[in-house]
Amino acid sequence: MSAGGDLAARPTAGDGAGLTAAVTTADLPADLRAAARAAGAPRQVARFLDGMALPAFVAGTAALDAAGVTDGERCGAFTVSGWDPDVHPPDLGGEPTTYEAVARHYITTASPMTWLRKMVNNALCQLALVRGLRGPNNHVVGGPEALAAVLTLGARAVATGVADQVLVVAFDAPAGQESVHEVDGRACAVVLGPIAALGATAPVRRDAGRPAGADGVRHGGRAVDALDALIDAAAPTVAPPPQGNL
Amino acid sequence: MTGAAVWVTGVGAVTPGGWSAAETWASVVAGVSRGRVIERFDLCDAPTRAGALVPGRERELPEHRSLVLELGRVAAQEAVEHAGLADAGLDLAVVANHGDKRVPAGRDARVMRIDDLTAAIAEPVGARRRLATHGACAAGSLAVVWGTELIRDGQARTVLAGATDSALNGYDFFQFCNLHGMSERDCPPEEASCPFDRRRDGYLLGEGAGFLVLEDEDHARARGADPLAVVEGVGSSQNAHHFVALPPDAGGPIRAMRAALDDARLPAEDVGYVNAHGTSTPDNDWCETRALHEVFGTHARRLAVSSTKSTLGHATTAAGAVEAVICVEALRDGTAPPTVNLHEPDPRCDLDYVPHQPRELPAGRVLSNSFGFGGHCASLVLGRAA
């Protein structure tokens, strides 16, 4: 949510859920394609994993593995990103991208995959497909405040029994490239689970995800940085990704 | 957490039926399809010629302004004024949209970004915070889900929740042609959308905006506001099957409806009317019918089920929010809107779809379904104001 007046503190459902696993941006391997294959992405999913969806997919599957989530039937998935790509002229093989040429391209020859994978909910869809995540789900466009809302709603879903776990993935393009159509991004992920059942720690606070301390500028105002910071703060008590799985 | 109910205290809509919730409601009850030949942009050789466009904007898009923003602002303002909160503002606006784009042919390829569009709608109505969400064709309903949950969690007392969208431009439209999801039948444009009919072959692309003001019951009572309806249950789920296709077992829609009913703590028999997603695609309509049978059992045959996309077309991101507004109006008016163009029912779609004419709304709650690309499914259970 955008910056605004603070709400008065009151108990929230978030007090009943916590982080059970986390994967930071630094945890991701250099070869994300190989990691995605190892994580079970079939070819039809791999085609959809562009520079933004790929790190989100790897981070999300790794977090689920770290949390021991093998059955996604009651696992929710929320993604948050400030990435919102510009419209990009299709490649017409040297032909000028006139109105008529672009229209004809989409009517007759384009593969839907080329533009579907630029929908900002693409990463969420591919994660759900591969891991069978069938719980509550949604994508939010924004930064740390959007992340805070996502963590609040994810924690609530767990605390009220709507979901057994909720995967939250933050992914972003490099600063200043939020509108770039083809760009390599970064991602991190957490899994929220019930404190009582799993011994999860680091309860998710309502303001979780906001830049810590006064040096918020250091985090660049992006959701991925805010989630990285949250994970760092909870590091001693949250399950890291299994070694060798990334 | 607050234990108070979530009331709907204001509604607003702009659709091919008109520039207000009242005009939209009158249009769907009248059962007149708003399908027409698209004249707003050059269709080139597109196999689809029909769309449902808002009145007064049929022939052209504003050159350097966003129609999506205009629709959203008008609908949002109506909802907030209807709620009596124009001066007080709101705690939060949850606005689903997919931005506003144009043809990338040497001109401005982007009119507005998703979050900028959300901000431009939230700010004039005095929303102190905002959330820009994207859940494709389930997004409007998901905005209501999230607004409701944030009120229940004590994060806000007043929420503007809804969506705005138009894919009837010379870019998004051709991408939809690429999917062959729109009707390509050779028929009058007003007959293109025929949900649950065996001749159906795709949706009538529409546009619009819909917003609800959701309010904590205690807060509403304290300021003397009356409810238009009550949000009794919300549910969402993921198909986890395919980016655009529904799963053959109807799993996602089943889970969403059950989640909403569980959230409302209601048995299925307490629902009298369902506003279906009802896109008029071959897959959705039979899949949704199957889901209704699974969720409601023998009660399914007593339900009144209608698709208002048969008159207004499919407003994509905004559809769920527009249809939530329609459900509120149905409760207030005591009327179930019809499904039009249902002349040759598909044997696999065997429920009562309120064909052709509106009728008295059955007793009980109303349920609204929305399913979207990316596998999102959302259901809302709304009840009458006491």
Side-chain angles (χ1 to χ4, degrees):
Chain A
M1 291 176 273
S2 65
D6 291 329
L7 289 169
R10 36 187 145 165
T12 74
D15 296 335
L19 304 182
T20 61
V23 172
T24 67
T25 55
D27 289 328
L28 299 193
D31 191 345
L32 291 173
R33 286 274 163 214
R37 282 194 300 272
R43 189 166 63 177
Q44 57 264 40
V45 167
R47 291 164 60 220
F48 273 82
L49 298 180
D50 67 354
M52 291 303 294
L54 183 57
F57 181 86
V58 173
T61 51
L64 290 169
D65 288 340
V69 178
T70 55
D71 180 357
E73 183 71 18
R74 287 180 46 78
C75 183
F78 297 141
T79 54
V80 56
S81 175
W83 184 62
D84 182 10
D86 277 339
V87 169
H88 193 77
D91 181 0
L92 302 185
E95 185 183 352
T97 53
T98 63
Y99 177 98
E100 292 77 12
V102 171
R104 190 167 53 246
H105 170 76
Y106 283 114
I107 292 169
T108 59
T109 60
S111 163
M113 182 265 300
T114 58
W115 59 271
L116 285 173
R117 70 180 192 167
K118 294 306 174 187
M119 290 181 67
V120 294
N121 61 339
N122 175 40
L124 188 159
C125 176
Q126 306 312 324
L127 278 163
L129 271 174
V130 173
R131 295 301 292 254
L133 308 178
R134 293 185 169 84
N137 61 100
N138 205 354
H139 177 79
V140 184
V141 176
E145 287 79 14
L147 174 66
V150 165
L151 290 169
T152 293
L153 287 164
R156 179 177 173 81
V158 171
T160 56
V162 170
D164 292 340
Q165 309 91 7
V166 171
L167 171 69
V168 175
V169 181
F171 62 100
D172 277 293
Q177 298 187 44
E178 293 82 6
S179 297
V180 176
H181 193 74
E182 291 288 350
V183 63
D184 292 332
R186 294 161 65 239
C188 54
V190 297
V191 173
L192 306 176
I195 288 178
L198 300 176
T201 55
V204 176
R205 306 181 308 279
R206 194 189 322 120
D207 61 349
R210 297 182 192 278
D215 193 12
V217 175
R218 175 167 58 87
H219 300 289
R222 296 181 301 169
V224 69
D225 299 312
L227 188 55
D228 253 355
L230 177 75
I231 295 170
D232 283 343
T237 55
V238 178
Q243 294 299 314
N245 272 25
L246 286 179
Chain B
M1 283 180 287
T2 173
V6 176
W7 284 3
V8 179
T9 54
V11 292
V14 178
T15 68
W19 283 76
S20 69
E23 288 182 3
T24 294
W25 175 242
S27 177
V28 300
V29 169
V32 176
S33 169
R34 299 302 168 180
R36 57 180 291 156
V37 174
I38 298 169
E39 299 176 278
R40 181 184 282 170
F41 49 90
D42 185 352
L43 294 175
C44 298
D45 294 322
T48 296
R49 318 298 291 176
L53 302 96
V54 296
R57 302 288 183 273
E58 296 92 340
R59 292 214 159 72
E60 61 184 5
L61 283 170
E63 184 68 22
H64 297 295
R65 290 184 296 109
S66 168
L67 175 64
V68 178
L69 175 61
E70 180 182 14
L71 304 180
R73 274 185 165 168
V74 171
Q77 189 68 35
E78 180 188 11
V80 172
E81 288 180 359
H82 193 189
L85 289 171
D87 293 332
L90 306 105
D91 288 333
L92 172 65
V94 183
V95 180
N97 70 91
H98 91 291
D100 193 354
K101 308 181 187 71
R102 299 291 168 86
V103 176
R107 296 171 241 166
D108 288 341
R110 155 102 66 163
V111 182
M112 288 198 81
R113 305 189 63 208
I114 294 170
D115 194 35
D116 292 340
L117 209 151
T118 293
I121 290 172
E123 193 177 300
V125 297
R128 289 173 275 279
R129 291 167 293 148
R130 68 179 189 270
L131 264 180
T133 61
H134 183 292
C137 302
S141 293
L142 286 170
V144 177
V145 172
W146 277 27
T148 298
E149 287 291 274
L150 287 166
I151 289 176
R152 289 169 169 176
D153 199 59
Q155 305 297 320
R157 292 152 300 186
T158 53
V159 177
L160 176 73
T164 179
D165 200 3
S166 174
L168 283 162
N169 59 70
Y171 178 67
D172 291 314
F173 174 82
F174 295 115
Q175 291 190 327
F176 278 112
C177 287
N178 191 221
L179 285 176
H180 294 281
M182 296 183 289
S183 176
E184 299 177 5
R185 273 194 310 142
D186 182 14
C187 66
E190 61 272 17
E191 296 178 15
S193 178
C194 53
F196 311 109
D197 191 293
R198 69 168 185 81
R199 301 165 299 154
R200 70 188 187 278
D201 73 325
Y203 49 88
L204 173 72
L205 190 61
E207 60 188 6
F211 284 94
L212 284 70
V213 172
L214 307 174
E215 189 165 356
D216 174 275
E217 176 187 0
D218 291 342
H219 184 269
R221 286 185 186 279
R223 71 180 182 91
D226 292 322
L228 306 177
V230 181
V231 181
E232 300 204 20
V234 298
S236 67
S237 69
Q238 240 293 334
N239 287 323
H241 172 69
H242 188 275
F243 205 112
V244 299
L246 281 166
D249 66 357
I254 290 170
R255 282 187 296 275
M257 284 191 273
R258 283 183 171 155
L261 288 168
D262 288 346
D263 184 52
R265 294 185 172 84
L266 290 171
E269 293 74 23
D270 272 20
V271 173
Y273 168 70
V274 174
N275 185 281
H277 187 55
T279 54
S280 188
T281 63
D283 282 348
N284 177 84
D285 294 359
W286 80 257
C287 182
E288 188 170 10
T289 297
R290 175 177 179 168
L292 288 166
H293 275 293
E294 185 69 28
V295 172
F296 291 96
T298 55
H299 183 65
R301 296 203 179 277
R302 293 189 288 272
L303 290 170
V305 180
S306 68
S307 168
T308 44
K309 291 185 176 74
S310 64
T311 51
L312 298 179
H314 188 355
T316 54
T317 303
V322 166
E323 287 156 17
V325 171
I326 289 171
C327 284
V328 171
E329 297 293 358
L331 285 166
R332 298 175 73 201
D333 195 39
T335 303
T339 303
V340 304
N341 295 327
L342 181 51
H343 298 293
E344 299 181 34
D346 182 346
R348 294 185 305 170
C349 299
D350 57 354
L351 300 177
D352 175 7
Y353 302 108
V354 195
H356 312 308
Q357 298 294 327
R359 73 167 79 126
E360 183 177 349
L361 191 72
R365 277 72 171 179
V366 305
L367 182 145
S368 179
N369 283 333
S370 294
F371 316 131
F373 286 177
H376 309 285
C377 300
S379 296
L380 310 174
V381 175
L382 302 173
R384 288 173 172 81

